[in-house]
């Protein structure tokens, strides 16, 4: 790895960050003689940047001398807590195993040492106190030279990505144990994401996820340049979100009202921890199905199911025929719109079971009055449309699962349609239909990482591409990204993190790197090293195959 | 759980502990009126004991007053470190979340409190300083009453199992106080060999991980740690006699090895929990990592008439090979106290042997023709003679039997191949030939799939094959195997538990304990108990534990 020639990578420099599906012909890597080189020559960078230039010249870093600094003219300074926090974090990652500062004696007389990384935020508003969004600029440029390396980014969001890349360039040389030195190769990138929406879904309803687990996974997400935490916070099994306005929802609908809930302070902490890492928190409150747990704390919210002519004592989806339902939803989503700062809220809308609605005579009567006949998807649409109006009135945009589109609900054109169903042919057809209708979309079907099998299933996740469907360039531009989903039926604090990582890393590279980055044997080599890097940083990412990490996971 | 009627379980009391396959008709549970009750009424005991009598009468336990004591007349006293260590361990498990001793105010005036568990070792030799073995007596009787509960066992090994059961009987009431019901338990294992295989070659397993899993094994009444310590990928065992084996054959010679002190610690930690450590040094295949530190041990492979630079299985035609093996296994026989060593013998690839002209010449000389399994048998027979001379018994994978190698009658044949019909036929063949056997095929827990695959593991039974009672008596148990290709410290423990718990109940409890919906209810609680004790056992399905895992 140390002895590599001067290289040049021609990347997808000119693409707009959001419109990432328009084909770029050449994502390959070439050296100056025109020989094709492996991406893995690039020091196990993950996800692979859009463009890398690297040389064999290497520098040292010393824990006692190295500093992160704000460049002159940067619009961010030491009052920018996002950067200050990131400096501390990346200092720890880089020098974590060299705290003893025994590196003095290996100091290179020739001065080939990187003494600082100057961080320059180049646009007038660094967005230090802002929240990341779908349109945040995450691009950055990094040039490593001695005595100073320079990281330039229009906004702090790009600086965060650049700091991660910088930390991934540092490697331990063969003498690390004795010398405790770190060496950095000379490198330059203009880097930016292929897709603007790169998410991980965690499900805190099927199992409660302690705060510690959520925060650890936000850390792992930052290491993989993810920028969306899709928080599937409620479902049939439990309602752990503590609502200020409707406290009975969690008091009666959580697994335990004190130990298995997210208080307003918890939610704030998650949002702020994520913001520090350039990660948006999009809450999903899935209705009208997947709501059994809501019923305990909110009288009359769910539809009473009937056996014959009498109520059976069980409940179905949200009751769409009562005004009280919409009063409740208006109040609830008003609260949600203030608690979660992101411009989008995920409204669910998947898998609505009609059998309970069908059994209920009041619902039947309503269907007749409305002229819906026997088409219960019309009733679902009726509910969803009223819900969308409510949410629109809070100035939020919304994401919905694909059924809402499939059922023909009238949607605002800025709605994001989340594709999750079917096999490869089916989800590709769906992507074509959704974009054909002019909606923006994101993909999750091939990335249901809760589904496990024996062996290296990360390879299938890596091969899938959200742009692999038949459509025009205009359609492809409507693809905003995708999400790795870890549904919670079989995971909790005991096994979530190793099940998610590094399998979600495969998805992360698909969503960040150039479309041409597809060489799976090269990806394997880099991912093995990236996985060990996560392990060294305290994330129990599971192994891809046989082998070892220099520093194994130290937990159990 | 608190309000249960007086129950009585008729269990398989009269079975000899080792001969566990002879059918017992009735493993069901009845109350005094003849109503069948669910096993799950028994407070989530796992694995389910052979016989339990329980009543609705409940007693309290107080962290500040409760004691473990040695009963008068017990052959073990406070110099018995196995018991003293176990007392500390189970005190922590029972009172772990009530350390603040706020239980004074809930003291029941009626004196319905269990103040002590008296432990009586009833045979003259408690075996406090011994090692567990294939024939160790693990039976025990437990009677919970106030003010004293009594645990009687012939040996410390049974006392350890009884302490685990006692700790599982304790439950937290709605106020966080510790309670236990008036209960009688009479218990012993169905099978004598109940093992877990961990593979420290495909990935190095830090000591901490091995020790944590030994703790989990004890919670599930496992009694064998099958340590698959070396394989093609790495040789982490530090040999005093041949230090180059790990120096050159491990992933890293300092950070990814097991020193003699490490091995001793594993053995002692296991002994404290009544767990045997059976080391496996698999030969002649699965030995690529041995070749780096031991010149000429492996067969040079040829391409045409010249060596290709790659190596195959152990070279069976050189005297130096056998000299090495004699020295190596002499060391192993002293390092590992168990009476058995596992010699592997599986999956020998003949292509390298076939390519080598010296091997071909040797085959001719010996009259083996083109039958390389004869060459394999030649090697294995010499190896078995070497190991026999160290006074150890041996376990081998089934191929050694399949290939017709001459084996001592006390050899244990480890069945691991095939589908259900195939492994059942193999069990019949092995026992038909008079050998003792143990089963692993349905318990390759490294193989994962989406959903509740513990159910398949639970349903399998080592005695489900066509054979006589005499044959069934030769089944000594089984092992859950977690091969290491895809697991290391990061994910091993949640992948193994509670899936291995399913196997544990199959190997401990009566053959009639097969109700899977009852097992589900108990296993959910047992899994939460492991989580509370610090083991990141994964969930079976949706739900929650009172105290969730506090790691990441």
């Amino acid at each position: 790895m140390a002895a590599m020639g001067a290289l040049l990578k021609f990347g997808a420099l000119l693409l707009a960050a959001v419109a990432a599906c328009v084909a770029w012909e050449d994502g390959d890597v070439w050296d100056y003689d025109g020989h094709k080189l492996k991406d893995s020559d690039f020091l196990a960078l993950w996800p692979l940047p859009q463009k890398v230039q690297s040389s064999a010249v290497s520098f040292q870093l010393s824990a006692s001398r190295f500093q992160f600094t704000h460049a002159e003219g940067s619009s961010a300074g030491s009052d920018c807590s996002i950067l200050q926090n990131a400096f501390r974090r990346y200092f720890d990652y880089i020098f974590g195993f060299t705290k003893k500062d025994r590196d003095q004696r290996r100091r290179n007389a020739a001065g080939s040492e990187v003494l600082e990384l100057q961080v320059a935020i180049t646009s007038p508003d660094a967005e230090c106190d802002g929240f990341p969004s779908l349109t945040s600029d995450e691009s950055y440029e990094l040039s490593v030279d001695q005595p100073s390396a320079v990281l330039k980014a229009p906004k702090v969001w790009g600086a965060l990505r650049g700091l991660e890349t910088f930390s991934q360039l540092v490697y331990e040389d063969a003498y690390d144990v004795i010398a405790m030195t770190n060496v950095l190769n000379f490198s330059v990138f203009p880097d930016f994401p292929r897709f603007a929406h790169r998410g991980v879904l965690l499900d805190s309803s099927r199992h409660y996820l302690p705060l510690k687990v959520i925060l650890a996974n936000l850390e792992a997400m930052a290491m993989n340049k993810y920028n969306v935490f899709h928080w599937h916070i409620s479902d049939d099994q439990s309602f752990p979100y503590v609502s200020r306005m409707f406290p009975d929802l969690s008091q009666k609908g959580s697994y335990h009202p004190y130990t298995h809930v997210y208080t307003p302070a918890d939610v704030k902490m998650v949002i702020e921890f994520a913001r520090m890492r350039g990660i948006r928190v999009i809450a999903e409150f899935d209705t009208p199905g997947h709501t059994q747990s809501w019923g305990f704390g909110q009288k009359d919210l769910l539809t009473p199911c009937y056996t014959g002519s009498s109520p059976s004592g069980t409940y179905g989806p949200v009751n769409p025929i009562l005004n009280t339902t919409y009063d409740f939803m208006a109040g609830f989503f008003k609260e949600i719109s203030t608690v979660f700062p992101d411009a989008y809220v995920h409204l669910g809308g998947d898998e609505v079971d009609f059998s309970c609605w069908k059994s209920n005579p009041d619902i039947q009567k309503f269907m007749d009055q409305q002229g819906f006949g026997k088409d219960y998807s019309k009733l679902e649409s009726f509910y969803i449309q009223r819900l969308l109006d409510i949410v629109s009135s809070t100035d939020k945009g919304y994401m919905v699962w694909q059924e809402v589109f499939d059922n023909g609900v009238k949607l605002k054109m800025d709605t994001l349609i989340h594709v999750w169903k079917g096999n490869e042919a089916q989800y590709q057809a769906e992507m074509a239909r959704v974009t054909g209708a002019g909606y923006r979309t994101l993909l999750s079907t091939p990335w249901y990482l809760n589904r496990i099998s024996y062996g290296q299933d990360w390879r299938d996740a890596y091969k899938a591409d959200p742009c692999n469907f038949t459509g025009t360039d205009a359609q492809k531009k409507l693809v905003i990204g995708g999400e790795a989903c870890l549904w919670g039926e079989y995971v909790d604090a005991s096994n979530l993190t190793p099940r998610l990582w590094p399998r979600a890393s495969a998805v992360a590279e698909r969503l960040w790197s150039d479309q041409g980055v597809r060489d799976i044997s090269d990806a394997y080599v880099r991912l093995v090293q990236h996985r060990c890097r996560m392990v060294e940083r305290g994330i129990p990412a599971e192994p891809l195959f046989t082998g070892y990490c220099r520093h194994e996971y130290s937990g159990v």
Side-chain angles (χ1 to χ4, degrees), chain A residues 323-487:
Chain A
N323 284 330
T324 53
T325 293
Y326 299 100
D327 293 343
F328 166 79
M329 290 295 171
F332 183 75
F333 278 101
K334 188 162 191 315
E335 172 180 325
I336 295 309
S337 73
T338 60
V339 170
F340 292 91
D342 200 80
Y344 286 86
V345 59
H346 201 302
L347 298 175
D350 58 320
E351 297 184 314
V352 182
D353 178 12
F354 294 149
S355 57
C356 181
W357 281 349
K358 284 179 187 167
S359 77
N360 182 305
D362 297 330
I363 301 270
Q364 288 162 19
K365 201 187 300 171
F366 185 83
M367 293 280 290
D368 287 345
Q369 288 167 356
Q370 296 286 326
F372 291 165
K374 295 290 170 201
D375 186 354
Y376 285 86
S377 71
K378 285 187 178 157
L379 181 60
E380 182 186 351
S381 295
F382 172 86
Y383 167 78
I384 296 271
Q385 273 167 352
R386 290 195 63 171
L387 180 67
L388 297 186
D389 289 344
I390 287 168
V391 174
S392 292
S393 73
T394 67
D395 282 333
K396 293 285 183 184
Y398 35 79
M399 298 173 65
V400 289
W401 296 108
Q402 70 177 75
E403 285 100 317
V404 177
F405 167 81
D406 296 346
N407 289 343
V409 176
K410 192 182 70 188
L411 294 164
K412 288 193 302 182
M413 285 316 292
D414 64 351
T415 305
L416 307 178
I417 312 294
H418 198 160
V419 173
W420 70 279
K421 287 175 78 169
N423 59 27
E424 189 177 356
Q426 287 165 332
Y427 76 69
Q428 290 176 353
E430 178 78 1
M431 297 288 283
R433 277 192 299 273
V434 170
T435 55
Y439 291 104
R440 282 180 298 170
T441 185
L442 68 163
L443 180 64
S444 279
T445 309
W447 297 321
Y448 264 40
L449 300 186
N450 50 303
R451 302 201 70 87
I452 53 170
S453 58
Y454 190 52
Q456 297 192 38
D457 55 6
W458 70 273
R459 291 170 184 268
D460 293 328
Y462 190 78
K463 284 173 192 161
D465 195 300
C467 293
N468 278 355
F469 65 87
T470 309
T472 63
D473 276 7
Q475 277 178 277
K476 302 286 172 95
K477 282 185 182 166
L478 293 169
V479 179
I480 62 162
E483 288 186 4
C485 298
L486 195 73
W487 295 100

Side-chain angles (χ1 to χ4, degrees), chain A residues 22 60 125 159 191 195 260-261 319 342 364 380 391 483:
Chain A
V22 181
Q60 296 182 17
D125 180 8
D191 193 19
F195 292 106
H260 288 62
V261 295
N319 193 334
D342 200 80
Q364 288 162 19
E380 182 186 351
V391 174
E483 288 186 4

Side-chain angles (χ1 to χ4, degrees), chain A residues 219-260:
Chain A
E219 299 228 309
M221 286 170 64
M223 296 172 200
N224 290 275
K225 297 190 168 72
Y226 272 108
N227 67 354
V228 174
F229 168 38
H230 175 163
W231 194 350
H232 186 84
I233 198 167
S234 72
D235 208 296
D236 285 332
Q237 286 77 7
S238 76
F239 193 100
Y241 170 80
V242 177
S243 164
R244 286 177 191 276
M245 209 160 169
F246 304 99
D248 273 356
L249 288 170
S250 61
Q251 188 68 27
K252 299 183 178 167
S254 68
Y255 282 129
H256 189 286
Y258 305 123
T259 59
H260 288 62

Side-chain angles (χ1 to χ4, degrees), chain A residues 119-302:
Chain A
V119 178
I121 307 299
T122 56
S123 80
D125 180 8
E127 299 185 7
C128 284
D129 300 314
F131 287 92
S133 76
L134 183 59
T135 55
S136 287
D137 188 339
E138 295 178 272
S139 69
Y140 67 92
E141 290 186 32
L142 177 64
S143 92
V144 179
D145 207 338
Q146 59 90 5
S148 296
V150 178
L151 170 60
K152 284 185 191 166
K155 305 284 182 185
V156 287
W157 318 117
L160 290 173
R161 307 296 169 239
L163 284 164
E164 175 61 35
T165 303
F166 179 80
S167 74
Q168 294 190 3
L169 285 169
V170 179
Y171 57 94
E172 277 181 21
D173 72 12
Y175 301 94
D176 68 316
V177 178
I178 308 148
M180 294 295 179
T181 342
N182 295 274
V183 187
L184 192 65
N185 271 30
F186 173 80
S187 313
V188 180
F189 325 86
D191 193 19
F192 54 84
R194 179 179 169 208
F195 292 106
H197 186 113
R198 307 180 307 281
V200 168
L201 177 150
L202 298 181
D203 169 0
S204 63
S205 172
R206 272 61 177 254
H207 285 98
Y208 177 76
L209 301 176
L211 215 52
K212 193 171 164 183
V213 172
I214 292 177
L215 301 187
N217 280 279
L218 286 168
E219 299 228 309
M221 286 170 64
M223 296 172 200
N224 290 275
K225 297 190 168 72
Y226 272 108
N227 67 354
V228 174
F229 168 38
H230 175 163
W231 194 350
H232 186 84
I233 198 167
S234 72
D235 208 296
D236 285 332
Q237 286 77 7
S238 76
F239 193 100
Y241 170 80
V242 177
S243 164
R244 286 177 191 276
M245 209 160 169
F246 304 99
D248 273 356
L249 288 170
S250 61
Q251 188 68 27
K252 299 183 178 167
S254 68
Y255 282 129
H256 189 286
Y258 305 123
T259 59
H260 288 62
V261 295
Y262 302 104
T263 65
D266 292 341
V267 173
K268 263 191 196 160
M269 193 187 299
V270 168
I271 292 168
E272 181 64 2
F273 196 91
R275 187 181 80 87
M276 287 289 154
R277 287 154 183 81
I279 297 170
R280 304 160 57 199
V281 178
I282 299 182
E284 176 183 356
F285 288 92
D286 193 355
T287 66
H290 291 278
T291 48
Q292 289 292 301
S293 68
W294 302 50
F296 300 107
Q298 185 63 22
K299 200 168 162 306
D300 296 334
L301 180 64
L302 303 185

